[in-house]
Amino acid sequence: MIQLDKLEIRSFDIKNMTTRSLDDGSESTVVEGYASVFNSRTNIDGWYDEEIAPGAFSESLAKNKDVRCLFNHDWNYVLGRKSANTLIIEEDSRGLHFEVTLPNTTFANDLKESMSRGDINQCSFGFWVTAQEEDYSGDVPLIRITNVDLWEVSIVPLPAYEDTEASLRSNELTSSLATTNYALTQVND
C-alpha cells in the first residue's frame, strides 16, 4: 500500500482566475497555472532553503501516472485527473503547468466562489523526492530538488512558495527528517 500521507508538499500563489465555454458549447470552470516554478527559493521551516530544478518533473510525467488535482491535498476532494482528461499537466521552461476543468460539485463550486473573491489563491503539489543536490557552503543550506515522483497538484489556502499563478476561465508539509538532520550536521561541522 502506498503511504500518500507521507508525501512532501510545496505551495505557490495563484494570480488570476477566469471561466470559459468548452468546445461543446457548455460552460465550465477551468483553473490554469503553475503548481511549481523552477529556481524559486523558499525556506523550509527555518532549516534550509529549497528550490525545484528544471526537469525535476519530466521523468515522473513520462511514466504517464494518473496524477490528480485536489483541493487542499485532500484525496476526498478530487477536482480533476489525468486519466479522465480533466487535468492537463506538463513541464515547460517555467515550471509545472496545469489546467483542470472543475466538476459541477458543491465543493468545486465553493472553491470557485472563494477563488473569485480572492480568498483562496494558491496552489501546491504533492511528491516524493527521488534526487536532490545539497549545498552547505552558505549561511543557510540549499537543497535543489532535481527529480520527483509527482502524485498530485492542489489548490490550497496557504503556500510555501510564492511564485505560482493560475487563472479561472469561463468560455501537510512533510519534510524529510533525514535531510534536515544531515543539513544540521553539515552546518555544525
Side-chain angles (χ1 to χ4, degrees):
M1 179 73 174
I2 297 171
Q3 291 184 316
L4 296 177
D5 62 334
K6 302 289 186 195
L7 290 178
E8 293 196 39
I9 56 173
R10 301 296 184 271
S11 304
F12 297 85
D13 283 342
I14 296 172
K15 305 286 188 208
N16 302 304
M17 184 171 69
T18 60
T19 55
R20 70 170 176 181
S21 295
L22 298 179
D23 293 337
D24 66 5
S26 64
E27 187 169 289
S28 194
T29 302
V30 177
V31 176
E32 177 180 14
Y34 284 85
S36 174
V37 176
F38 296 137
N39 302 314
S40 173
R41 280 193 190 178
T42 194
N43 187 270
I44 305 298
D45 295 330
W47 293 103
Y48 59 92
D49 285 345
E50 179 184 88
E51 64 185 24
I52 309 296
F57 301 99
S58 59
E59 184 178 319
S60 186
L61 292 174
K63 293 177 183 175
N64 206 26
K65 184 186 295 183
D66 191 15
V67 176
R68 271 68 161 196
C69 181
L70 309 175
F71 174 63
N72 207 27
H73 301 288
D74 189 331
W75 291 86
N76 294 304
Y77 296 105
V78 176
L79 299 169
R81 63 191 293 176
K82 276 186 70 175
S83 67
N85 294 318
T86 54
L87 174 64
I88 299 168
I89 191 162
E90 62 188 1
E91 185 179 77
D92 64 20
S93 61
R94 184 166 180 220
L96 183 63
H97 182 264
F98 76 97
E99 181 178 306
V100 61
T101 303
L102 297 182
N104 185 16
T105 60
T106 303
F107 71 87
N109 290 326
D110 290 348
L111 174 62
K112 177 182 172 183
E113 177 65 20
S114 293
M115 291 181 74
S116 294
R117 292 167 29 117
D119 298 332
I120 295 177
N121 63 351
Q122 287 115 358
C123 68
S124 182
F125 62 101
F127 64 100
W128 287 333
V129 175
T130 56
Q132 66 186 28
E133 298 169 351
E134 301 165 355
D135 180 358
Y136 300 98
S137 63
D139 292 337
V140 178
L142 172 63
I143 306 298
R144 184 170 170 81
I145 297 175
T146 57
N147 199 16
V148 302
D149 187 9
L150 179 67
W151 286 87
E152 51 96 358
V153 296
S154 283
I155 298 171
V156 299
L158 296 171
Y161 286 83
E162 298 290 335
D163 292 337
T164 61
E165 62 185 48
S167 58
L168 176 62
R169 357 178 246 189
S170 184
N171 173 48
E172 156 187 29
L173 180 59
T174 304
S175 66
S176 167
L177 293 176
T179 301
T180 301
N181 288 335
Y182 181 73
L184 287 172
T185 60
Q186 293 298 313
V187 170
N188 290 332
D189 285 347

